[in-house]
Amino acid sequence: MPVQLTPIDRAKYAAARRAVDLVEDGMKVGLGTGSTAAWMVRALAERVRDEGLRLTCVPTSVRTGDLGRELGLKIVSLEEAGWLDLTIDGTDEFDADLTLIKGGGGAHLMEKIVATASDRMVVITDASKEVKTLGHFPLPVEVIPFGWQASRMLIEELLNAMDVMGTSARLRMNGERPFVTDQGNHILDLALGRIGNPRQLSLALNQVPGVVENGLFIDICDAVVIGYGDGRVEMRDIASGTVEHERIVFEEPDNIFKDL
């Protein structure tokens, strides 16, 4: 039965297909987490099957690692791989400077470590994630379980001195229990509305006792690939200042998405 994709899913797939064209034989590649990154993992596995690419892949979450293994990718830890050539990941928001908010899937700690251990980070997304000013999407902050309430109070107090619109920090839940990251931590989602100075906020948050890492990615992303539902893709490289436009030709859904 053909799989009927929404325009957003087609946009994500188009961006993923373009991004995996950047992968070359012999590379060590970081694999992001989330719905858009899942399209990328599938597209990358398709290239490995069809072209015989020899890749070493480092996942940013348990679920991405499980998907990669299921699709036949060589999955190793970052410790085993060492330095990476390229990381491809999604984002929850991005601005003109390619500053990101990540962590909607609860994996921003591993995502940030893997991205910064790479020569290059490329973000894949659809056009709806682009914003003039970050902050509409809640900013995730990973905290250790011990004393998380105290960490939350300190964060909310800190936010009063920051250039933001909101100051509430809510514990992320998974049903009736707190959400637990792959590292065994909790996440506080900050409803900020607007982040006027992401760099200042990131530095301040990471000074709060109990905070492990926040979801602001600053000076980490090198390029963004934006997909559209009709197959168009736009690739912006912040280092070179170039913008490229292409169109991805979709195969028959029965062939591309038969394993979904």
Side-chain angles (χ1 to χ4, degrees), residues 83-131:
W83 198 260
L84 306 180
D85 299 291
L86 173 67
T87 288
I88 305 174
D89 203 347
T91 189
D92 296 305
E93 280 189 351
F94 72 98
D95 65 13
D97 296 324
L98 300 193
T99 299
L100 319 172
I101 288 182
K102 290 180 53 56
H108 62 275
L109 173 59
M110 289 181 67
E111 289 172 331
K112 188 174 285 190
I113 293 172
V114 170
T116 53
S118 306
D119 286 338
R120 195 176 188 212
M121 181 196 190
V122 174
V123 160
I124 50 178
T125 185
D126 62 86
S128 69
K129 304 295 178 63
E130 183 171 13
V131 296

Side-chain angles (χ1 to χ4, degrees), residues 2 27-28 34 88 97 118 136 138 143 153 156 162 169 175 193 225 246:
M27 275 189 169
K28 298 177 182 179
I88 305 174
D97 296 324
S118 306
H136 178 73
V143 296
M153 287 188 291
E156 290 180 335
M162 295 290 107
V225 181
E246 298 181 28

Side-chain angles (χ1 to χ4, degrees), residues 14 29-31 36-37 74 89 119 122-123 134 136 176 212 221 223 226 229 234 240 244:
V29 183
L31 306 179
T36 309
K74 179 183 178 182
D89 203 347
D119 286 338
V122 174
V123 160
L134 297 175
H136 178 73
E176 297 182 357
V212 182
C221 178
I226 306 167
E234 177 184 334
S240 65
E244 301 176 6

Side-chain angles (χ1 to χ4, degrees), residues 7-255:
I8 291 294
D9 282 336
R10 292 176 69 87
K12 291 177 179 180
Y13 179 71
R17 276 282 304 275
R18 176 62 184 89
V20 299
D21 286 343
L22 301 171
V23 177
E24 300 176 2
D25 188 43
M27 275 189 169
K28 298 177 182 179
V29 183
L31 306 179
T33 294
S35 60
T36 309
W39 292 114
M40 176 271 299
V41 175
R42 294 180 182 279
L44 186 61
E46 188 176 67
R47 280 201 65 195
V48 169
R49 289 194 302 266
D50 294 347
E51 303 173 32
L53 295 181
R54 297 164 297 172
L55 304 176
T56 300
C57 300
V58 174
T60 55
S61 65
V62 171
R63 59 188 180 275
T64 294
D66 290 343
L67 177 61
R69 290 186 191 93
E70 177 187 334
L71 296 174
L73 296 176
K74 179 183 178 182
I75 300 295
V76 303
S77 68
L78 183 58
E79 289 71 25
E80 293 173 288
W83 198 260
L84 306 180
D85 299 291
L86 173 67
T87 288
I88 305 174
D89 203 347
T91 189
D92 296 305
E93 280 189 351
F94 72 98
D95 65 13
D97 296 324
L98 300 193
T99 299
L100 319 172
I101 288 182
K102 290 180 53 56
H108 62 275
L109 173 59
M110 289 181 67
E111 289 172 331
K112 188 174 285 190
I113 293 172
V114 170
T116 53
S118 306
D119 286 338
R120 195 176 188 212
M121 181 196 190
V122 174
V123 160
I124 50 178
T125 185
D126 62 86
S128 69
K129 304 295 178 63
E130 183 171 13
V131 296
K132 291 184 177 180
T133 304
L134 297 175
H136 178 73
F137 190 90
L139 175 64
V141 177
E142 187 160 342
V143 296
I144 66 171
F146 176 79
W148 70 265
Q149 299 97 330
S151 297
R152 181 176 65 180
M153 287 188 291
L154 289 169
I155 288 172
E156 290 180 335
E157 182 179 352
L158 166 73
L159 292 175
N160 287 311
M162 295 290 107
D163 186 7
V164 297
M165 291 180 62
T167 60
S168 67
R170 179 180 56 85
L171 180 67
R172 185 178 299 185
M173 302 297 290
N174 182 14
E176 297 182 357
R177 296 177 178 273
F179 177 87
V180 178
T181 70
D182 286 349
Q183 287 70 47
N185 296 318
H186 296 333
I187 288 181
L188 298 174
D189 288 312
L190 311 188
L192 304 179
R194 179 183 61 82
I195 302 174
N197 190 331
R199 191 180 304 275
Q200 178 192 46
L201 178 60
S202 179
L203 291 171
L205 285 171
N206 283 2
Q207 296 300 311
V208 174
V211 169
V212 182
E213 188 56 82
N214 68 80
L216 284 166
F217 282 51
I218 301 169
D219 298 333
I220 297 175
C221 178
D222 298 286
V224 60
V225 181
I226 306 167
Y228 296 86
D230 60 1
R232 289 179 297 123
V233 292
E234 177 184 334
M235 181 170 176
R236 303 178 195 167
D237 190 311
I238 196 167
S240 65
T242 59
V243 179
E244 301 176 6
H245 295 89
E246 298 181 28
R247 184 179 293 273
I248 300 297
V249 177
F250 289 97
E251 303 174 30
E252 289 299 317
D254 280 340
N255 296 327

